[in-house]
Amino acid sequence: MIRLIVRRLLLGVVTIGCIYALTFVMVISLPGNPFQQGLHNIPPEAEMALRARYNMDNNWLYFTEFLAGAVRLDFGPTFTYNDWTCNQIIASALPVSLLIGLLAILIAVMVGVPIGVLSAVKRGSWFDVTSLTFVLLGISLPTFVTGSAMLIVCSVCLRIAPVGGWGTLAHLPLPALALSLPFVAYIARLTRTGMLDALGSDFVRTALAKGASRRTVVWRHALKVAFLPVLSFLGPASAQAMTGSFVVEKVFGVPGIGQHFVNAALNRDAGLIMSTVLVFSTLLVAFNLVVDVLYAWIDPRISEAV
Amino acid sequence: MIRNLFLICVALLLTALSIYTLGSRKPRADFTYVNPSGIHTLDPSRMSWTQDFRVALNIWEGLTTWHPETLEPIEGAALFPPDISSDGLTYVFTIRDDTRWSNGDRVTSRDFLRGWRRGLEPGTATDYTFLLADNIAGADEYVRWRREAVGELVAMKRLCDGWSINARQARTIAQSRVFKELQARVGDTLRAPEAEAEEWRWESWIQGIAPRVDWENLYDRMFQKHVSELRSRFDDVGIVTRDDQTLVVRLAQPCPYFLDLIALPIFLPCHESIELLRERYRGTLITAEGLVVYDPQWTKPDYHRNNYPGLVTNGPYRLSDWTFKRRARLTVNPHHRTAKTITCRTVDMMVYDNISASIMAYEAGDVDFLPAMDVPYDHEIARLAQTGERKDFHLCHVLATYFLNFNCVSESVDGRPNPFVDPRIRRAFALAIDRERIVEKVLKRGDRVARSFVPPDTISGYQPPTGLVMDVDRARGLLAEAGYPEGVGLPAIELLYTPSDERVCQAMGRMWEDALGVRVELRSKESKTFAEDKASHRYMIARGNWYADYNDPMTFLDCLSTGNGNNDSGYVNPRYDAMLAEASVIRDPVKRAALLRQAEAIIVEEDLPILPILHYAAPIAIKPYVSDLYANSRLWFPFRYVTVER
């Protein structure tokens, strides 16, 4: 187990390094001037001085200095929001996204798994058909549609939730729910497929033959096997949910980190682009590591294999 | 057991995150408005967006400010009007006795000097240096001298640290005085390539000589020399503090709109506490690169590095709380002379990235004022405002113009000949556009048709020329005259724009195709790429827009003078330049306006470096219980006059 963790950690560091290098190359080859603020063109001498100040007149210097900063968890300045540092922006936005994302994943697991199990057990029934339709909708309907619909129904018509924004507990449920929908759908589908496989396998028949109740067999024996694909999906899904969704943030006015991914690229804000990418990739690697460890714990054959 | 532990951990994490991100709930402010994208920066010298200006001008106060309804310059921190010399070149401002900073300190003339000087410094990276440099005596020379020196210092510092530099920096080094002196001493071995030589020649030259030169020594000499000259050079700039209360400003030429101009944020004062956050190098007041730099976080009310007291301002409000991209709260500055008369004691600026959501919040009563409503259904909002169905929706006819730039300089674009160097073709293209159709049928936002660069009926004392009215026959005639009858022989015309201009540009492309028989290629580019293509003249026709900086035709007309940094058309016309130069020294306002009108006629009737399309209308929403907030052409909304009776 420890060997697995150490190997994965080393691999993670290499992965993040590669991502950083790739992002850096893309960032420096972007056209456009990061220092231009409004309609006025910035004088070339002033641009040069600013480039020098942020080490951007020498790519190698910029690459190493930014990396050195990032290792110390200091991501330096942003150009778009001059008064804030990348660290402050991440510290303000990331916890928001973590909270919404964590809630979304919890909802996804708590709703998606039972739906999947039930539709597998009652295969072909009206419940299965309805849930399949729901799953299909959840996967194919974009969040800006479901999100806006929820906002209009719950906030404008029923007045049971605030119209977007952030600051109270009441601001939490809608965005979390909107963000969770596609995950609910995926998890339900994965559980259903896994469950169908598991219910048809020998150990389930054995357990049933030995007199275990159907309920125990489904929820204890079969689900444990059927949950494995869900678990491997949860790693990247959590990272994706917790690093923010631009669309959900935009629709509900949630000040999460997703918007900075998009806006930083549009604004050519090199520091913010690289810091958000680094944060995202670190989270992704970390969640995958956690999932691998859990996997090995649930199914010990895995750790022997790797 | 493990499962329970896991659940407890998740629950704890959720609670911690909620407490950390949600914060404590604050009671609603007296007045709440929405700033859709949040504040870009609160540094008055650096800002260039209207929404940032709005916050800045409510928390700071310049020597003058604008009337909330008429927009005329009125009394600010100084007595109004100031003493103006008979030649119109010297302004003597007396700071009012009762002007105080939000910490109780007296506002002095030095605070203004500090603020204005920041606007001149290359390290501040402001968009508006030109407002100071163009108007104040000696300022332009100072700015040039500083920029040049900074370029040299940056390049030398790099070489000292053993880094390579690029061709442009190499050129800077070769032209610097200390390097030329060195050359004179050691002779030909350091000879630089020709100024026009290719980049790689310059790069290989600097790589070749780098190991042979003692850069440390050169840099030190240059740095010291520059530091020693800093003071005397700035003394030549026409901003002088006669005493604590008197600021004397000498202008380079008369500027009839100077009192209007100095209400802009770049002319705001700056409290002395900012000096605590100044970056220093070897005990000097500048950085190793020669820049004047302050810790950019000085604009935060709760920033206390180096005993910094947090942001101190001198306006009717002070910034009491600012969270990134969420909210800013302004509270009355108790030391402001009007503090007692202000009824909105607290103002909240909320951020809604999604403007539709802000409109919903307004409808739900969470917000009292929306200064921006540019949504995909803005035509519907404009309709509601125009028909009076919604008495709380208003249209502001903004002092701004939406136009097309013609590329007047490049002989070829992407290997294709650029026909727009010929003014006849530009005129032909302008004559073929049906602006009424664009404004009334395509956009339907209540904008005004533009045939001139300067919006009519907005600047007092100035009426722009009539401009060109659509005339397809004349357009065809001009095209034939230029050698392209029926558009035959013209290359495919490229129209460059950003995604938000899709509808207008499609419509115009179609009009040209129908009227002139040309083929139009629409090229939509993401805004930064677009801006770069445009600034480097890699386009034939590109969309453009301009928002007035001050209340005078010059703010528009100056953009098209030769060599202006914002002359994206690359338009050069000595006659036009001469007229603007002449107008800038005329003291009689009527004669001046007539001359400017003539100059504008060259732009919009003869040469057409730009093709004006429309003057923007911006919808705003003000709750009926809010009074003394006016729809105006500069989207200037001072909150100190506002009363709210819910």
Side-chain angles (χ1 to χ4, degrees):
Chain A
M1 186 73 116
I2 290 176
R3 246 181 68 198
L4 172 96
I5 297 179
V6 171
R7 262 181 71 150
R8 282 298 177 142
L9 272 178
L10 287 178
L11 212 63
V13 172
V14 175
T15 315
I16 295 172
C18 291
I19 294 174
Y20 170 62
L22 267 177
T23 318
F24 183 84
V25 171
M26 284 192 266
V27 164
I28 57 164
S29 41
L30 278 176
N33 178 357
F35 300 109
Q36 184 166 353
Q37 296 253 331
L39 292 176
H40 303 274
N41 298 329
I42 184 167
E45 301 91 341
E47 187 194 330
M48 187 85 124
L50 283 174
R51 281 195 183 273
R53 171 152 185 79
Y54 296 118
N55 294 321
M56 285 173 78
D57 57 338
N58 185 310
N59 289 334
W60 180 243
L61 183 63
Y62 188 41
F63 183 84
T64 46
E65 290 286 304
F66 188 87
L67 190 61
V71 170
R72 294 192 310 266
L73 290 185
D74 174 8
F75 292 108
T78 65
F79 308 130
T80 332
Y81 308 105
N82 188 51
D83 314 17
W84 303 82
T85 62
C86 287
N87 283 37
Q88 288 169 335
I89 291 180
I90 293 174
S92 139
L94 187 63
V96 173
S97 293
L98 285 181
L99 180 59
I100 296 274
L102 195 59
L103 278 175
I105 288 294
L106 280 182
I107 296 175
V109 173
M110 288 192 307
V111 178
V113 171
I115 290 182
V117 171
L118 286 180
S119 56
V121 172
K122 304 186 175 181
R123 191 182 177 182
S125 70
W126 66 266
F127 181 85
D128 189 24
V129 175
T130 329
S131 64
L132 263 182
T133 320
F134 169 77
V135 162
L136 207 64
L137 280 178
I139 291 173
S140 46
L141 269 186
T143 9
F144 63 82
V145 174
T146 47
S148 306
M150 281 159 71
L151 205 56
I152 290 171
V153 173
C154 302
S155 308
V156 179
C157 298
L158 301 178
R159 294 278 170 96
I160 51 173
V163 191
W166 191 253
T168 61
L169 278 177
H171 287 111
L172 286 178
L174 283 193
L177 208 58
L179 186 59
S180 74
L181 280 185
F183 297 117
V184 172
Y186 256 101
I187 288 177
R189 206 177 63 166
L190 284 173
T191 318
R192 181 176 180 274
T193 321
M195 210 56 193
L196 284 177
D197 272 354
L199 287 176
S201 58
D202 290 342
F203 74 91
V204 168
R205 205 175 316 137
T206 316
L208 284 172
K210 281 174 107 179
S213 76
R214 189 166 167 76
R215 194 159 148 187
T216 323
V217 170
V218 169
W219 293 101
R220 275 275 160 80
H221 298 140
L223 183 58
K224 206 165 181 181
V225 176
F227 193 68
L228 284 179
V230 177
L231 190 62
S232 56
F233 169 71
L234 275 182
S238 312
Q240 202 190 332
M242 290 186 207
T243 43
S245 147
F246 176 69
V247 178
V248 169
E249 286 172 18
K250 188 98 186 162
V251 170
F252 293 98
V254 175
I257 201 167
Q259 54 177 326
H260 299 304
F261 266 120
V262 181
N263 292 340
L266 291 179
N267 294 324
R268 306 293 187 268
D269 196 335
L272 197 54
I273 297 177
M274 293 195 289
S275 38
T276 44
V277 167
L278 280 180
V279 168
F280 181 73
S281 46
T282 310
L283 277 179
L284 196 64
V285 166
F287 282 116
N288 275 325
L289 177 71
V290 171
V291 166
D292 283 344
V293 171
L294 284 178
Y295 228 98
W297 177 54
I298 291 182
D299 187 350
R301 285 172 302 179
I302 306 280
S303 80
E304 282 154 27
V306 275
Chain B
M1 175 62 191
I2 289 177
R3 193 184 293 168
N4 287 343
L5 205 66
F6 179 73
L7 285 178
I8 292 171
C9 283
V10 169
L12 277 178
L13 188 62
L14 276 178
T15 326
L17 282 173
S18 307
I19 292 170
Y20 177 75
T21 66
L22 294 173
S24 57
R25 195 174 184 167
K26 286 219 166 67
R28 185 173 171 166
D30 295 339
F31 179 71
T32 307
Y33 82 103
V34 172
N35 173 358
S37 52
I39 298 169
H40 287 82
T41 173
L42 266 189
D43 183 338
S45 306
R46 291 214 62 202
M47 55 181 56
S48 32
W49 298 98
T50 316
Q51 57 266 39
D52 295 1
F53 282 18
R54 191 171 300 140
V55 181
L57 294 176
N58 274 298
I59 60 176
W60 273 281
E61 189 172 44
L63 294 171
T64 61
T65 180
W66 300 308
H67 188 274
E69 198 178 3
T70 64
L71 302 178
E72 291 295 322
I74 54 169
E75 181 173 65
L79 295 175
F80 191 88
D83 289 333
I84 307 174
S85 64
S86 57
D87 57 3
L89 288 177
T90 308
Y91 284 64
V92 181
F93 294 96
T94 310
I95 316 281
R96 292 174 53 111
D97 283 335
D98 53 357
T99 311
R100 293 281 186 279
W101 290 98
S102 52
N103 65 354
D105 289 355
R106 200 148 152 196
V107 176
T108 67
S109 53
R110 286 191 311 276
D111 297 326
F112 278 92
L113 180 79
R114 188 178 299 112
W116 292 27
R117 186 170 183 172
R118 283 196 70 225
L120 288 171
E121 285 297 337
T124 313
T126 147
D127 279 0
Y128 282 104
T129 301
F130 74 96
L131 289 182
L132 290 147
D134 290 357
N135 288 304
I136 293 169
D140 194 38
E141 291 76 15
Y142 177 79
V143 170
R144 281 171 202 279
W145 174 73
R146 283 284 288 141
R147 283 184 183 156
E148 214 167 90
V150 163
E152 291 167 10
L153 284 171
V154 164
M156 286 222 181
K157 186 82 184 103
R158 283 281 178 264
L159 290 167
C160 289
D161 297 343
W163 293 102
S164 61
I165 59 173
N166 60 34
R168 217 166 87 186
Q169 289 172 311
R171 238 174 260 152
T172 316
I173 294 254
Q175 283 156 5
S176 70
R177 189 136 38 104
V178 280
F179 186 77
K180 280 191 178 147
E181 283 168 16
L182 181 74
Q183 261 179 329
R185 262 186 287 130
V186 298
D188 255 5
T189 53
L190 295 179
R191 200 170 64 186
E194 299 294 314
E196 309 82 54
E198 295 95 328
E199 289 204 346
W200 65 267
R201 274 184 203 283
W202 279 100
E203 278 162 14
S204 66
W205 170 73
I206 196 78
Q207 271 164 24
I209 66 156
R212 290 190 279 138
V213 179
D214 181 3
W215 298 110
E216 295 274 356
N217 181 10
L218 278 192
Y219 172 80
D220 282 351
R221 276 174 35 211
M222 205 158 105
F223 186 79
Q224 262 144 32
K225 189 167 168 309
H226 189 70
V227 170
S228 66
E229 281 178 37
L230 256 180
R231 166 163 267 193
S232 64
R233 288 277 188 160
F234 190 72
D235 284 345
D236 294 341
V237 179
I239 316 168
V240 181
T241 54
R242 192 180 284 163
D243 53 50
D244 267 4
Q245 255 181 300
T246 320
L247 185 75
V248 183
V249 182
R250 265 185 304 117
L251 300 189
Q253 67 278 325
C255 174
Y257 47 87
F258 192 63
L259 293 180
D260 175 85
L261 192 69
I262 55 174
L264 281 169
I266 187 126
F267 295 95
L268 289 173
C270 188
H271 188 254
E272 61 182 351
S273 57
I274 194 179
E275 296 298 338
L276 294 168
L277 299 178
R278 189 170 184 138
E279 273 186 33
R280 286 157 200 267
Y281 177 69
R282 295 184 185 170
T284 64
L285 291 174
I286 55 179
T287 67
E289 296 92 8
L291 299 171
V292 172
V293 176
Y294 297 91
D295 184 336
Q297 307 215 44
W298 70 275
T299 53
K300 305 264 182 53
D302 51 359
Y303 191 66
H304 300 298
R305 191 171 72 88
N306 268 4
N307 298 324
Y308 181 67
L311 180 65
V312 180
T313 60
N314 71 326
Y317 292 90
R318 64 188 176 85
L319 185 68
S320 55
D321 184 19
W322 181 20
T323 43
F324 179 68
K325 279 257 181 188
R326 292 187 209 176
R327 198 180 69 160
R329 174 162 280 199
L330 316 182
T331 39
V332 163
N333 167 11
H335 300 285
H336 193 261
R337 61 176 192 281
T338 64
K340 287 200 177 72
T341 63
I342 298 174
T343 57
C344 284
R345 308 300 288 183
T346 49
V347 175
D348 265 349
M349 181 210 81
M350 310 297 293
V351 179
Y352 282 85
D353 246 343
N354 176 4
I355 299 183
S356 288
S358 73
I359 296 178
M360 284 192 245
Y362 174 83
E363 299 292 2
D366 296 343
V367 170
D368 306 314
F369 170 49
L370 295 176
M373 296 169 90
D374 35 350
V375 280
Y377 44 93
D378 46 10
H379 52 91
E380 179 60 16
I381 290 178
R383 190 188 64 79
L384 291 171
Q386 281 172 318
T387 56
E389 265 177 69
R390 284 291 299 257
K391 296 249 184 318
D392 55 334
F393 288 4
H394 310 267
L395 283 183
C396 298
H397 290 288
V398 186
L399 205 50
T401 306
Y402 181 87
F403 54 84
L404 295 181
N405 283 97
F406 290 116
N407 184 343
C408 309
V409 275
S410 312
E411 290 292 336
S412 69
V413 175
D414 287 349
R416 266 183 270 179
N418 171 26
F420 296 102
V421 286
D422 183 340
R424 286 173 300 182
I425 298 188
R426 301 199 292 259
R427 224 177 312 150
F429 272 66
L431 284 164
I433 290 291
D434 184 352
R435 298 171 172 93
E436 275 78 7
R437 199 179 146 73
I438 291 172
V439 166
E440 283 154 26
K441 298 274 162 38
V442 180
L443 291 173
K444 300 185 270 190
R445 296 184 308 210
D447 302 304
R448 291 190 298 166
V449 164
R451 295 204 165 78
S452 55
F453 196 8
V454 182
D457 310 317
T458 37
I459 297 175
S460 66
Y462 184 79
Q463 205 52 352
T466 37
L468 296 180
V469 182
M470 183 187 179
D471 185 344
V472 175
D473 290 337
R474 214 176 123 209
R476 289 195 185 121
L478 276 168
L479 212 56
E481 201 182 294
Y484 305 102
E486 306 289 318
V488 178
L490 270 183
I493 303 301
E494 251 179 40
L495 174 54
L496 181 68
Y497 55 91
T498 58
S500 57
D501 307 295
E502 191 74 47
R503 279 191 299 163
V504 187
C505 289
Q506 270 180 5
M508 281 190 294
R510 194 63 193 273
M511 286 173 196
W512 285 323
E513 287 185 337
D514 291 348
L516 303 175
V518 299
R519 197 158 65 78
V520 178
E521 276 175 15
L522 299 173
R523 285 230 330 249
S524 168
K525 283 199 176 180
E526 173 279 325
S527 56
K528 282 262 174 180
T529 323
F530 166 86
E532 193 172 77
D533 274 8
K534 213 177 132 184
S536 50
H537 306 297
R538 282 194 301 265
Y539 71 93
M540 286 188 190
I541 310 179
R543 83 95 171 104
N545 55 4
W546 191 253
Y547 283 75
D549 290 320
Y550 45 90
N551 206 23
D552 189 87
M554 270 303 235
T555 185
F556 288 94
L557 301 184
D558 200 30
C559 300
L560 290 164
S561 60
T562 307
N564 186 296
N566 300 301
N567 184 347
D568 289 334
S569 294
Y571 176 63
V572 177
N573 182 345
R575 190 158 65 98
Y576 178 73
D577 294 342
M579 284 165 111
L580 292 194
E582 198 189 330
S584 67
V585 290
I586 296 182
R587 304 243 20 230
D588 176 359
V590 179
K591 274 195 196 144
R592 178 174 178 270
L595 188 59
L596 287 177
R597 188 169 192 271
Q598 273 180 36
E600 190 179 354
I602 299 181
I603 299 298
V604 298
E605 287 168 6
E606 288 176 36
D607 278 359
L608 278 298
I610 58 155
L611 160 51
I613 314 258
L614 56 88
H615 304 298
Y616 290 107
I620 61 171
I622 307 172
K623 285 279 183 198
Y625 52 73
V626 176
S627 47
D628 297 307
L629 196 62
Y630 304 96
N632 63 61
S633 65
R634 294 174 84 166
L635 303 174
W636 158 232
F637 305 112
F639 303 131
R640 70 162 144 143
Y641 304 99
V642 171
T643 40
V644 176
E645 283 163 34
R646 272 199 202 86

